C-alpha cells in the first residue's frame, strides 16, 4: 500500500481503500466486514469516458440517498471521493473505464444489529471497460422475463444483489443478456442491472421512481433528453401483457447506455432496430458523452 495517491506511476487496476492506494489484486477485505457478512453496504458504478467520470455528482448524490436510507454515515466528503476517483483514473492510464465504489458499515464481531463503534469503510477501484462489453452493449439485447423476487427497498443501491444475480444467470442460461423483472400482476419494474423503457401506443413508458426500482442515473438523463425532444412520455409502469404491443423496448444503464431490445422470451420486438425514438435519443446521449470527452 502507499499513501501517496499523487504518485504518477501507472497501475493496471488501482484501488483505494480508506485513503490508501494499491493494486486491485492486492486489495483485501477484513473477514468481519459487515458488507461481507450481511451485505450491509452500498455501492455505485460510474462510467469513465476519455478519462472523465460521467455524471459523478449524480452518482454521489445517489450514494448519499442510499447511505441515509440505511443510517450509514459516509466516511468521506464528496470532494475527497472525487479526488480519489481522479487519482485512480490517472494511475490506471485507462481512457474507457468504470469506477466501482462501495461503502460498508465497517468491521465488527458478527451481530445483526448495528455495532456501536464500527467505522464505515470505503473502497474504490477503476477497471478498463473490456472492448467485448462495449461491443456487446452496442448490439441489440435479447431478454427474458423473470419474477422480481427482490425486497421492497430497491431504491437503495445495496450490495445485496443475490436475486439480481440469480435472475441474470437465468437470462444467460437462456442465451439472453438481461432479465426483465416483473412483480405480481405482471408489472414490469426494471432489469437486473438496468432500467427498462417501452414505446407503447407511440408513447415512451417506464416505471416511475418508487421503492420498487433503482432510480437510474441513465434513466434520468434519458428522460430529460426525451422531454427536450418533445417525445411523448409517461413515467407509468407497463405490464407483461402490454409488452407484445411495444414497438421499441430499451435497456438503460451506466454500462449499456441505451440498448434496444431485439427480442423477449424468444419473440421479436416488432419494429425496426434501433427504433425511431431510440435513434433520436441515442444521438442526443452521444452528444452528452462527447461533451465530457472534450
Ligand atoms: N447497475 N437498476 C438496477 C437494479 C441496477 O443495478 C442499475 C445499475 C440500474 C441503472 O442505473 P444507472 O443508470 O445509474 O447505472 C437500474 C449497475 C450498472 C451495476 O450494478 O453494475
Amino acid at each position: 500500500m502507499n499513501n501517496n495517491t499523487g504518485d504518477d506511476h501507472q497501475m493496471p487496476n488501482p484501488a483505494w481503500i480508506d485513503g490508501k492506494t494499491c493494486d486491485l489484486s492486492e486489495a483485501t477485505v477484513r473477514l468481519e466486514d459487515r458488507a461481507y457478512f450481511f451485505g450491509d453496504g452500498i455501492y455505485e458504478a460510474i462510467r469513465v469516458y476519455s478519462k472523465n467520470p460521467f455524471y459523478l455528482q449524480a452518482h454521489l448524490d445517489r450514494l448519499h440517498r442510499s447511505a441515509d436510507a440505511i443510517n450509514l454515515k459516509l466516511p468521506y466528503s464528496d470532494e475527497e471521493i472525487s479526488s480519489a476517483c481522479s487519482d485512480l483514473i490517472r494511475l490506471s492510464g485507462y481512457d474507457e473505464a468504470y469506477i466501482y465504489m462501495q461503502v460498508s458499515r465497517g468491521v465488527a464481531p458478527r451481530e445483526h444489529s448495528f455495532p456501536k463503534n464500527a467505522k464505515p469503510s470505503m473502497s474504490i477501484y477503476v477497471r478498463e471497460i473490456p472492448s467485448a462489453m462495449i461491443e456487446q452493449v452496442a448490439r441489440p439485447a435479447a431478454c427474458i422475463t423473470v419474477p422480481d423476487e427482490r425486497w421492497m427497498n430497491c431504491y437503495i443501491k445495496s450490495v445485496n444483489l443475490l436475486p439480481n444475480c440469480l435472475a441474470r444467470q437465468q437470462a444467460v442460461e437462456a442465451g439472453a443478456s438481461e432479465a426483465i423483472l416483473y412483480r405480481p400482476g405482471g408489472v414490469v419494474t426494471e432489469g437486473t442491472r438496468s432500467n427498462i423503457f417501452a414505446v407503447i401506443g407511440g408513447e415512451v413508458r417506464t416505471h416511475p421512481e418508487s421503492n420498487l426500482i433503482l432510480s437510474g442515473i441513465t434513466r434520468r438523463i434519458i428522460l430529460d433528453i426525451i422531454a427536450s425532444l418533445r417525445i411523448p412520455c409517461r413515467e407509468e409502469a407497463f405490464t407483461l401483457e402490454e409488452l407484445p404491443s411495444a414497438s421499441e423496448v430499451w435497456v438503460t444503464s451506466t454500462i449499456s447506455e441505451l440498448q434496444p431490445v431485439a427480442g423477449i422470451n424468444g419473440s421479436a420486438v416488432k419494429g425496426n432496430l434501433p427504433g425511431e425514438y431510440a435513434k433520436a435519443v441515442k444521438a442526443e446521449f452521444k452528444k452528452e458523452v462527447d461533451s465530457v470527452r472534450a
Side-chain angles (χ1 to χ4, degrees):
M1 291 245 176
N2 88 58
N3 278 308
N4 178 12
T5 49
D7 185 346
D8 238 357
H9 83 279
Q10 297 202 343
M11 287 184 195
N13 293 305
W16 180 102
I17 305 183
D18 293 319
K20 295 182 179 168
T21 49
C22 64
D23 188 79
L24 183 57
S25 62
E26 290 161 10
T28 53
V29 171
R30 294 271 301 274
L31 181 58
E32 290 188 313
D33 188 295
R34 287 180 61 90
Y36 181 66
F37 273 154
F38 301 118
D40 190 357
I42 53 176
Y43 77 103
E44 282 295 328
I46 302 146
R47 185 71 160 84
V48 174
Y49 295 105
S50 302
K51 300 188 192 296
N52 294 302
F54 192 57
Y55 280 79
L56 176 59
Q57 191 56 51
H59 283 276
L60 293 180
D61 291 346
R62 188 170 64 187
L63 189 69
H64 280 282
R65 291 199 298 277
S66 297
D68 289 347
I70 65 165
N71 287 318
L72 177 65
K73 191 171 162 0
L74 292 185
Y76 299 96
S77 67
D78 286 2
E79 291 69 31
E80 288 168 315
I81 299 170
S82 304
S83 150
C85 291
S86 305
D87 289 342
L88 291 173
I89 293 167
R90 196 186 60 250
L91 279 169
S92 77
Y94 296 142
D95 290 325
E96 300 301 301
Y98 65 91
I99 299 166
Y100 178 87
M101 58 177 70
Q102 181 169 313
V103 186
S104 155
R105 199 177 302 278
V107 174
R110 189 173 182 279
E111 155 55 41
H112 291 55
S113 62
F114 298 171
K116 285 224 165 44
N117 300 316
K119 205 170 138 292
S121 158
M122 180 156 194
S123 48
I124 312 174
Y125 67 81
V126 171
R127 257 191 190 276
E128 190 169 32
I129 297 258
S131 53
M133 192 184 280
I134 295 177
E135 284 158 24
Q136 192 215 317
V137 300
R139 288 193 296 269
C143 293
I144 61 166
T145 54
V146 174
D148 189 342
E149 294 178 344
R150 299 172 303 161
W151 69 334
M152 301 304 281
N153 292 307
C154 300
Y155 71 100
I156 302 170
K157 202 159 172 57
S158 142
V159 294
N160 287 275
L161 292 171
L162 188 55
N164 307 56
C165 294
L166 295 176
R168 189 146 175 125
Q169 181 60 22
Q170 244 180 282
V172 168
E173 285 173 14
S177 57
E178 180 58 305
I180 297 176
L181 304 175
Y182 63 91
R183 292 276 181 183
V187 174
V188 171
T189 50
E190 59 180 339
T192 64
R193 56 181 300 188
S194 60
N195 292 110
I196 306 289
F197 287 68
V199 179
I200 298 169
E203 194 178 48
V204 181
R205 300 254 300 274
T206 193
H207 197 289
E209 280 190 328
S210 81
N211 60 324
L212 296 182
I213 68 159
L214 182 78
S215 177
I217 306 301
T218 320
R219 174 187 179 280
R220 186 73 262 155
I221 299 169
I222 285 174
L223 284 170
D224 290 346
I225 291 174
I226 287 170
S228 74
L229 293 175
R230 299 184 188 286
I231 293 172
C233 179
R234 240 179 334 137
E235 289 180 57
E236 189 179 300
F238 52 89
T239 61
L240 289 183
E241 217 180 333
E242 290 176 280
L243 261 185
S245 66
S247 55
E248 300 184 31
V249 179
W250 314 333
V251 163
T252 73
S253 78
T254 291
I255 305 295
S256 307
E257 303 174 344
L258 185 164
Q259 190 181 17
V261 175
I264 302 171
N265 296 334
S267 299
V269 173
K270 58 185 180 120
N272 297 330
L273 273 175
E276 181 198 349
Y277 287 158
K279 229 189 283 181
V281 173
K282 267 170 90 82
E284 291 302 309
F285 193 91
K286 187 172 178 303
K287 286 185 200 163
E288 281 281 309
V289 170
D290 288 344
S291 72
V292 307
R293 284 192 196 281

